[in-house]
Every structure is written in C-alpha cells, then in structure tokens.
Amino acid sequence: MAEDEGTRAATIFDVARLAGVSHQTVSRVLNGLPNVRPATEQRVREAIAQLHYSPSPAARALVTRRTRTIGLITPNNVDHGPASIAMHVNIAAREARYSVDAVSTAGADASAVRASIEALLRQRVDAVVVVVADVPALEVVSAIDVSVPVVASASVPRPGPRIVSIDQYRGARAAVAHLAEQGHTRILHVAGPAGAPDANERVRGWRDELAARRLEIIEPEHGDWTAASGFGIGGTLDLPHGSAVFVSNDQMAIGLMSALRQRGLHVPEDVSIVGFDDIPEAGYLFPPLTTVRQDFAALGRAIVQKVLVALDADGEETIDTPLPAQLVVRESTRPVGPADDAATPTSDASTGAPRA
C-alpha cells in the first residue's frame, strides 16, 4: 500500500517549498551557516516547525554532500595544552551540530601527520583540524593540498588564514615584564622542546622583552614539558639571591619548584617563578603559582568557527589576530628585597651546599 501523503515524513524539499526558498537555503539554515537573511531564516524555521521536519544525518549528507564530521589530529601525548584544545574543539563542534573523529599521530615526523590526514579523508570528514605540537606538523599543514579545508591550531610569528592561535609571544613578554617590574634583573628561562612552535614563540617573547629592557640574556635550558625535566633542570640552575625564572609551562615549573625546595631555596623569597598555561592545580601549589592563562575554550570555538567559514562557499576567510593570553599573579613572585641572613640556612644556588 502506498504511504499516506498526510503521514509521510517531511523532507527538506517540502520545507523549501513551504518557505518559498531553495533546498540549499534550508540546508544553510540547518547547518548554521552565515549569509542567510534573518527574515528568510525565520520563514525556514517556521516551515520546519509546521512540518515537524527532523533531518537525519544520512539525509543531510545526501543533500549537502557532507557528513557533518570534523577530523581532529592531536599529538601523541597527554600534555595539558593539546589535550585542552582537543576537548574544547569537541565541545564547540557539538554546539555546531558536528561530530568529531579524533586520531593521534604515530610520531612527530611529517609522514606521520600526512598519514593521519589521509586516514581521516578516507572517513569522508568535511574538514580537518590539526593541533600542531612540532615544526614538522606545521610544515605539512602549510604545504598540503587536499579536497577539504585544513585548519591548524599553531603558534607562528605570522598567522595564515587557516591558523588559529593564542598569543604565546605576548604572553611570554607579559611574564617577563612582570618579573622585571618587580626588580629582577637576572631572569632565566626554562623552555619547552626546541622543535615545538609554542616553546619557540615563548622563547622569542622572553628574548625580546629582556632586550627591550637591556637585561642580560642567558641561553635557556630546554625541557620536554614534563615535571621531571623541570626537576632535573632545577637541580643545576645558577640562582643567586633575587633571581627569577620564567618557565615555559606549569608542569615544568612544578618540577623546578620541587628541585629548589630540595636545594633549600625558597619561592619566592630566594627565587621568583612564573609558569605558563594556568593548569587547574596552579592555584593550589605551595606557593600558588603565578602563570600565564590560556583560554582554551575560546580557542576551541575559534577553531570550529574557522572550519565553518572555510566550508561556506560564500564565506570570507581572514587572517585573525591571535587570542590574548592573560597573566595571573599569585604568590610565587614578589619584588626583589635584601637577602634575609637571619632566616633558616638555605643552600648556595650554584652548588646546593648549605650557606655559611
């Protein structure tokens, strides 16, 4: 028996006829794409409500030739920054009614990143987002030519139209400026891996702020983002009274502070410390850590918005200003004061031996 016309489920074409628009316009409204007049969108939504239209993912894919799926490539690690970006891309994608297929790269080399992109393309994703943690991945993203938009979360001196970032450079300069304004003239840097774009931008900001203030630049020590590497570096740093250290992430700062305690040094009485990221634990350390906060929720929303614009045939792609980072001042920094010789004996910073 033929299906009764009155009980047949409405289609996107029924909505288009009732609203007096094309089915492509209905699709744009359903997908939350820009460049639809408010009055037109209102007519479409009224038609959707009147017909009780509820598109299935399969129907949407047939009409739009899209799967409403974003491919997400993350580094093969559990560092706070990339993990937070991935989480907030998922949240923003869900709010835009997209699903996310996530993969981790098998290595840091260019071929591993390219293989991950190709694997996602076989899943018919509409776009690919790459959370860039090293220079080879950035080079692949910059050079690859595929059939879908590729958007990168990457820290670079000159962003491109499909690159979204938080301003690591100005965040680093704010951290160093804070220490300099407290009277510190010896401001060391514990950097991240030399091949990491985030670490490179933080080094660049640290150098430029010191140079602008005519302060001595001592070559940074490089860790691997882990607390263990910060602890190892903290055991050997030359830290006379009044020194300060800008650390490229909070985990390494935690390890550094632990090493200083073992050496008998006090934070911030002997050494002021600034981290980067503002991990959830930063405010609960002893002392609470001064750090640079990254708004990963805003970054996730900006990445997904960049994807939506890239998917919109009429969308205008622009080069956006990096999102700001915010200095959060807590108790691990303080103005330089005279050494407290009456305090509990501390160690000589360069040797670890007790002071006389």
Side-chain angles (χ1 to χ4, degrees), residues 184 239-240 242-245 260 265-273 332-333:
H184 296 282
L239 297 168
S243 294
V245 187
L260 297 184
L265 293 170
H266 298 87
V267 176
E269 292 83 358
D270 297 312
V271 184
S272 283
I273 306 290
S332 66
T333 56

Side-chain angles (χ1 to χ4, degrees), residues 106-191:
D109 59 288
S111 62
V113 177
R114 190 175 293 107
S116 296
I117 293 176
E118 291 171 354
L120 287 171
L121 292 178
R122 288 193 291 272
Q123 301 300 316
R124 297 184 63 243
V125 297
D126 296 337
V128 175
V129 171
V130 184
V131 179
V132 174
D134 44 58
V135 171
L138 181 57
E139 292 171 346
V140 170
V141 171
S142 301
I144 199 164
D145 183 14
V146 293
S147 59
V148 303
V150 178
V151 174
S153 170
S155 299
V156 291
R158 287 176 290 279
R162 292 188 182 174
I163 291 180
V164 185
S165 64
I166 293 174
D167 201 332
Q168 313 295 319
Y169 174 78
R170 284 185 170 80
R173 292 200 66 158
V176 176
H178 169 68
L179 292 169
E181 288 163 5
Q182 291 190 316
H184 296 282
T185 57
R186 180 184 173 86
I187 303 173
L188 305 180
H189 183 36
V190 175

Side-chain angles (χ1 to χ4, degrees), residues 153-355:
S153 170
S155 299
V156 291
R158 287 176 290 279
R162 292 188 182 174
I163 291 180
V164 185
S165 64
I166 293 174
D167 201 332
Q168 313 295 319
Y169 174 78
R170 284 185 170 80
R173 292 200 66 158
V176 176
H178 169 68
L179 292 169
E181 288 163 5
Q182 291 190 316
H184 296 282
T185 57
R186 180 184 173 86
I187 303 173
L188 305 180
H189 183 36
V190 175
D198 282 359
N200 294 343
E201 282 298 283
R202 293 169 198 171
V203 169
R204 190 168 72 90
W206 166 77
R207 285 186 186 278
D208 285 359
E209 189 63 27
L210 289 181
R213 294 174 179 272
R214 294 185 171 85
L215 297 177
E216 181 183 11
I217 298 173
I218 300 170
E219 283 304 304
E221 300 284 343
H222 286 273
D224 62 7
W225 299 128
T226 66
S229 68
F231 182 85
I233 292 168
T236 60
L237 282 181
D238 181 15
L239 297 168
H241 179 80
S243 294
V245 187
F246 166 46
V247 189
S248 197
N249 78 336
D250 290 347
Q251 282 92 345
M252 291 194 298
I254 290 170
L256 177 71
M257 291 165 69
S258 179
L260 297 184
R261 279 195 299 273
Q262 285 202 4
R263 291 171 58 177
L265 293 170
H266 298 87
V267 176
E269 292 83 358
D270 297 312
V271 184
S272 283
I273 306 290
V274 177
F276 208 106
D277 283 340
D278 195 25
I279 62 174
E281 300 83 3
Y284 301 95
L285 301 174
F286 183 76
L289 181 64
T290 295
T291 185
V292 178
R293 177 179 296 159
Q294 302 197 70
D295 189 343
F296 292 114
L299 182 62
R301 291 191 296 269
I303 290 169
V304 172
Q305 181 59 35
K306 184 73 74 173
V307 168
L308 297 179
V309 170
L311 288 171
D312 178 11
D314 299 324
E316 181 180 353
E317 296 190 62
T318 59
I319 297 176
D320 300 321
T321 302
L323 300 172
Q326 177 190 3
L327 179 70
V328 180
V329 178
R330 298 193 179 102
E331 296 170 30
S332 66
T333 56
R334 77 169 192 179
V336 175
D340 185 359
D341 294 329
T344 302
T346 59
S347 67
D348 180 90
S350 60
T351 64
R355 288 179 182 159

Side-chain angles (χ1 to χ4, degrees), residues 16-104:
R17 278 193 295 270
L18 182 59
V21 299
S22 68
H23 71 271
Q24 291 94 337
T25 298
V26 176
S27 174
R28 292 173 70 83
V29 172
L30 290 170
N31 292 322
L33 296 176
N35 300 326
V36 178
R37 290 193 180 102
T40 301
E41 180 178 353
Q42 180 64 25
R43 289 205 314 275
V44 170
R45 295 204 177 279
E46 288 174 353
I48 289 171
Q50 182 175 334
L51 295 172
H52 305 290
Y53 173 64
S54 179
S56 68
R60 280 188 177 178
L62 285 172
V63 174
T64 65
R65 298 182 184 274
R66 293 180 183 168
T67 60
R68 296 195 67 80
T69 303
I70 298 170
L72 174 63
I73 299 173
T74 59
N76 190 24
N77 59 48
V78 293
D79 289 341
H80 176 76
S84 297
I85 295 169
M87 179 180 72
H88 287 291
V89 166
N90 271 275
I91 292 171
R94 187 164 58 248
E95 291 173 350
R97 300 192 298 279
Y98 273 76
S99 61
V100 174
D101 279 351
V103 298
S104 297

